[in-house]
Amino acid sequence: MTPENARLARLRGGLAAVEVGARGLEGVARNTACTRLRAIIIAGLTPSEVIEKVFNETGDAMSPFAMTLSQAFERRMLGNGGSSLLTAYREKSLLSQIEVKIASVEDMAPGDSPVARARRVTETQRLLDLKLAGDPRAPNLILSPRMPLEIVGVSHPVELAYLIASDAEPAYRVGVIKSFADRGGKTDRADIRAACREAAVGTMALRQHIAGRGRAPEMAVDKVDLVLRAPGSFNPRLFAQMRAESELASLGRALATAPADLDEVERLLPAGGTLADPTMIERLPNNYRSACKEHCALWERCRTHALAAGQPIVLGDLAAEQLAAAGSITRALDLWNGRGRPPENEAEATLMMALREAGHVLDRIANG
Ligand code: SF4
């Protein structure tokens, strides 16, 4: 066990480490100011695991319908030797009629045993090395690859949907498959950005592998591929080579602070305190945002605390921004009603005027 692994095992306090995966790591970049989430992920846990094992509550699981849809769509894309995926690339002329080499890492080492998982890593690395060596046998599509991503000296395995490269390209790009429907301009941009960030986790792992072989990590380009579902069907809509510089940068920033985060978490907890203790989890500073519900199973607990503390964020992002000068809903109400302390600075005075003006407008609308 490396010293870092030992530190993290101590922090988990007897809880078994789980595979955080690309989705878990991507979640850190969604709320970089949340020490609680970063601590949980760095320690090798997930918010769902903490809810179940530490708070003994039921996790915020994906709805069975969404889960079935997601699994069925992914199976459709990756099943049959990846033929649907290959067709999608051919239709866009991103792979030619002779670029048909497909390798399924899952088929090489199926199952969930530690041996099968380790074999999937070595098989993926072998295929990546073929590409790096310019070997013409290197596959054009690698399905279900598994790669290690090292953070704070600890290896986190990341399983991805697929990797893609034409024969002429020197390295692979990461592809993600999402079952939400492509609705053109109406597709939620936040969902697309999250999917790209998830793929970018894979790009980071690819870059680490390439760097480990003494080559330039940037050979793995900062572009990712996204497969969505056509509305009302299981037909794929391929969005190839989507720019992911900002997703890579935000992930890089979020994960680069991990060693300092580990030191900070150890400092924040009292001697002997671990993440297996619910009071210790709640001791870690959080940063509740409206979007927490979309990616973190702890959102209800964090929202309850935000509500108890009168944090404006419980009224939404806009209210949080506008009431920032007051710091709490109670203080904002005091400024509005003229109760409590007078404004303590210019920002509070401006807010007081704005709240009173809004109050007058509301009064005129309500009473004519
Ligand atoms: S729900 Fe809580 S722990 Fe999760 S990201 Fe939001 S503030 Fe952090």
Side-chain angles (χ1 to χ4, degrees), residues 62-76 179 234:
M62 197 191 244
S63 83
F65 173 73
M67 177 87 80
T68 307
L69 181 69
S70 166
Q71 289 173 347
F73 185 58
E74 188 153 324
R75 258 201 315 275
R76 173 72 73 94
S179 61
F234 261 25

Side-chain angles (χ1 to χ4, degrees), residues 31 34 36-37 286-289 292 295-296 298-299 302:
N31 193 343
C34 182
R36 186 176 298 176
L37 178 63
N286 68 347
N287 176 44
Y288 178 71
R289 315 308 304 157
C292 284
H295 68 96
C296 183
L298 285 160
W299 71 273
C302 294

